Amino acid sequence: MAVQYRKLSEKDLDIFIEMRICQLREEGAKEEIDLKPALTDYYHRHLKDGTFVSWLAVDGDRIVGTSGMSFVEKPPYFGCPNGRIGLLSSMFTSRDYRRQGIAKELLRRVVNEAGEYGCGNVQITASDMGVLLYTDFGFVKNGNFMQYNL
């Protein structure tokens, strides 16, 4: 069966969250807390208010790839007078389905969603595995990006 694409719905959240946690583990995150309740709360709220969207890759009834885009607003700037930006996350493809163009198609779909929402740009903190995908798509590194952990 060919991989199909559809948007995330509330009924998919348990599997989506498990895949998000799997992704974080693969990226080397330390599991110091049970993240599932916080993820469940976040996705329920932001799916409902339209500030989070996700496209899924499915093979039959199995979710094999995920994507996510959170829409946030900062003060307006010249490049985007409405201040909207997209924060890309949850880009994950099951091991058996990698290197088949699934992540690229998911990325295309969520970036299109950001454009439709009126975002001036899309940002991501890329894993080592994802850098090639994003640069091939047209993302560029921003040498000014800095982070302060609280």
Side-chain angles (χ1 to χ4, degrees):
M1 178 175 274
V3 171
Q4 303 289 315
Y5 298 90
R6 64 176 169 81
K7 282 189 176 181
L8 174 73
S9 69
E10 291 270 338
K11 68 179 179 59
D12 302 312
L13 276 181
D14 287 340
I15 295 167
F16 183 84
I17 289 167
E18 288 303 320
M19 292 181 80
R20 174 69 175 150
I21 291 169
C22 183
Q23 173 196 6
L24 294 171
R25 287 177 181 144
E26 264 193 28
E27 292 173 353
K30 293 182 175 39
E31 292 186 51
E32 298 166 348
I33 61 167
D34 178 8
L35 198 55
K36 192 171 183 174
L39 287 171
T40 300
D41 174 63
Y42 178 87
Y43 293 128
H44 277 290
R45 286 185 295 114
H46 293 284
L47 273 174
K48 185 176 183 176
D49 72 10
T51 57
F52 179 80
V53 66
S54 169
W55 278 88
L56 306 174
V58 294
D59 186 359
D61 60 355
R62 180 176 173 216
I63 297 172
V64 298
T66 63
S67 66
M69 185 71 68
S70 297
F71 303 121
V72 298
E73 190 174 330
K74 63 182 194 177
Y77 56 100
F78 288 115
C80 188
N82 66 17
R84 293 177 182 169
I85 62 173
L87 300 178
L88 184 62
S89 65
S90 305
M91 293 295 300
F92 183 76
T93 306
S94 297
R95 238 179 246 287
D96 296 345
Y97 289 83
R98 293 181 184 167
R99 317 266 334 139
Q100 298 178 31
I102 292 170
K104 184 176 182 179
E105 180 60 22
L106 290 169
L107 180 59
R108 184 187 69 76
R109 289 171 184 254
V110 292
V111 166
N112 285 346
E113 294 277 349
E116 290 173 12
Y117 194 80
C119 295
N121 67 51
V122 171
Q123 300 175 0
I124 186 171
T125 303
S127 67
D128 292 341
M129 193 177 356
V131 169
L132 184 59
L133 168 70
Y134 305 123
T135 55
D136 281 352
F137 193 85
F139 282 71
V140 293
K141 290 185 179 183
N142 181 345
N144 293 330
F145 180 77
M146 298 176 74
Q147 179 172 302
Y148 181 80
N149 292 328
L150 299 173

